Amino acid sequence: MSFRNQNRRDRPGFTLVELLVVIAIIGVLVGLLLPAVQAAREAARRMSCSNNMKQIGIAIHDYHDSFKRFPTQQNGPAAFEQGGIWGGSQRADSPMMGNSYLVAILPFMEQTPLWEEISNPFDTIPNDGPLVFQPAGGDFRPFGPSPDHDSGSSYAPWITEIATLRCPSDPGVGLPARGRTNYAACSGDAWFGNGNDTSMLYGPWQWNFVGFQRNDYWSTIAQESNRGVFMSRQQTRIRDILDGTANTIMIGEIPTDLGDNDRRTNALNATECITIPNFAQANFADPTRPLYWDPTASPDLSSEAATGWTARYGRGFRWHSGFEANSGFKTVLGPNQASCGFNTGSWFPDVRGGNYTAGSRHPGGCHIVLADGAVRFITDSIEAGNPLAEQVSRNATAPTSRPGNRSPFGLWGALGTRANKEVISGDF
C-alpha cells in the first residue's frame, strides 16, 4: 500500500509556470502565423482577380474576332421612338446609348442567358401592369432603361451581380448599388476642359460625334479628347492601336464605393477638377485621414453629404452603365489617387465624366489588362509625370494633351494612349 502511494507522489506533472510558458509560446506562434495566413488569403484573392480580368480580356478579343471591332463604351439604342430624343419617358424606354462595354461582351463570358434577357423585351411582372418608373404595359424594351434612370432598380438584369465582374478583395456589396463591377474601360489621358468632358457627355447635342447629329466642332473636340482604347460611342479596332497592343491599357481595376468618403470612390464634384487634376486631393483631403475627403472643407462635399448623391452614383455601382463614374477611368493621376467629377451639384454627377482614377483594394497597386490581353499588376508608384499639366481646352494657352502631343502624365499616361507614338522603354 505504501509502495503504491509513493509511486503516485513521484508521477511527473506540469507546474503552473510551465503551462503559462506553453500558452505564451502558442500565442506567439499564432501571432506570427496569422499575418502569413492573411497574406496567403490576399494572394489567392489577387490571383482570382487577375483571372477575372484575364477572362474579360479574352471576351473582348473574342468580341473583336466576331465583329471586327472592340465593344463600344456607351452603346445601345439611342431612342425607340422618333417623336423625341430626350426626356424622362425616353430614358425609361431606352438605354440612350449609355450601356457599358460589359453589356456587349456578356455572351463571350458565359453569360448568354443574361444577355438574352437584356436583348429582348423583359416583363417584370407578367400581366400585372406597370411598376413605378416602368414603361407602360409592364415591359422593358430591349437593352433596358437608361443607366441613370430610376426604373433600372426594377429591371432585373441591371441589379444582377456577376461574379466575374467582382474583385474578391473588394468588400462592397448590396444597396444602394445595383450590380457592382471592379473592372473599367480606359479612356486615355485627356478631356476637353471648359467645364465639359466630351468623352462622356450625352444628349442630342453631343451624340453628333458618332454621326447621330453631326457637328464638325464637337466631332473635332471628341476626337481630341478620346485618346484611349475605349472612345465613348465610337468604334475602335486593333488597327487603331498604333502604339502597340503590348504598350496600351485596355481595361483596369477600380474599387467600389463603401459609403466611407474614400477619395477614390466618392468623386468630388468641384470646378477646380476640370483644369487642375490634383487640386482636389491637395485641398480637400481630411488632414487626419488623408485617404478620405474632409466633408467640412468644400461646399460641394457638404452638399453631396446632405443630398446623398453617392447613393446613386458611387464608384462601380452599376456594371451596365457606360458613364465613367461606374465603368471607366483615365490615366491622368496614378493608381489609387483621388477621383473628381466634372458636374457640380447633387444631380447627375457622373454624366459629364471626370478625372476618375484606377485603383483597387489590393495592397500597393491595381491590375490592368493590356490590349494584347496580358494582365499586369501596376504599383501605385508608377511614374505619372506632371499632375499639374494643362488639359485639352480651347481656352488653354498651352494644352498638352492634343493629338500628336506626348502624354504629360509620364509612363502611366503613355500607357493610356493608343496612338501617340510614345516609346515605352523597359518593364513596368
Side-chain angles (χ1 to χ4, degrees), residues 105-316:
I105 64 172
L106 287 175
F108 300 93
M109 46 190 294
E110 299 184 356
Q111 293 291 333
T112 300
L114 184 59
W115 164 256
E116 291 176 347
E117 287 185 352
I118 294 170
S119 58
N120 290 284
F122 187 87
D123 195 351
T124 303
I125 303 178
N127 306 316
D128 199 36
L131 298 179
V132 177
F133 296 119
Q134 197 173 336
D139 290 334
F140 284 99
R141 297 189 181 187
F143 298 101
S146 175
D148 64 318
H149 197 269
D150 288 338
S151 60
S153 297
S154 300
Y155 184 59
W158 283 176
I159 60 177
T160 299
E161 288 279 355
I162 303 174
T164 309
L165 304 185
R166 296 304 316 279
C167 169
S169 293
D170 191 301
V173 64
L175 297 173
R178 290 181 186 171
R180 297 178 186 241
T181 183
N182 292 102
Y183 308 122
C186 179
S187 59
D189 71 333
W191 63 78
F192 172 57
N194 217 16
N196 295 313
D197 173 12
T198 53
S199 65
M200 304 307 287
L201 276 174
Y202 79 127
W205 55 93
Q206 282 90 20
W207 289 346
N208 49 55
F209 60 80
V210 291
F212 194 77
Q213 291 182 357
R214 181 172 175 78
N215 177 289
D216 289 336
Y217 173 79
W218 283 108
S219 298
T220 301
I221 295 298
Q223 289 291 338
E224 292 179 356
S225 59
N226 286 271
R227 289 158 53 109
V229 169
F230 286 91
M231 298 185 288
S232 176
R233 303 191 178 102
Q234 298 187 71
Q235 298 179 4
T236 55
R237 298 172 173 84
I238 287 180
R239 71 183 184 190
D240 299 322
I241 305 175
L242 303 182
D243 290 349
T245 57
N247 299 321
T248 305
I249 297 173
M250 184 165 61
I251 62 174
E253 194 175 358
I254 61 172
T256 68
D257 187 57
L258 305 180
D260 55 0
N261 231 16
D262 189 320
R263 67 182 192 177
R264 303 171 301 172
T265 64
N266 189 340
L268 173 70
N269 293 311
T271 54
E272 296 87 355
C273 295
I274 297 170
T275 55
I276 306 176
N278 73 340
F279 180 89
Q281 63 181 359
N283 291 273
F284 298 133
D286 190 328
T288 62
R289 303 168 70 235
L291 299 181
Y292 299 85
W293 296 123
D294 180 357
T296 65
S298 165
D300 293 300
L301 284 169
S302 300
S303 65
E304 288 162 9
T307 56
W309 75 263
T310 306
R312 289 174 171 272
Y313 302 113
R315 193 80 164 113

Side-chain angles (χ1 to χ4, degrees), residues 287-352:
T288 62
R289 303 168 70 235
L291 299 181
Y292 299 85
W293 296 123
D294 180 357
T296 65
S298 165
D300 293 300
L301 284 169
S302 300
S303 65
E304 288 162 9
T307 56
W309 75 263
T310 306
R312 289 174 171 272
Y313 302 113
R315 193 80 164 113
F317 269 16
R318 305 180 180 199
W319 65 264
H320 60 279
S321 169
F323 296 129
E324 194 140 310
N326 290 290
S327 63
F329 73 98
K330 287 182 168 60
T331 55
V332 175
L333 297 178
N336 288 307
Q337 298 299 310
S339 291
C340 276
F342 290 166
N343 198 53
T344 58
S346 58
W347 187 247
F348 291 167
D350 64 340
V351 298
R352 290 186 181 272

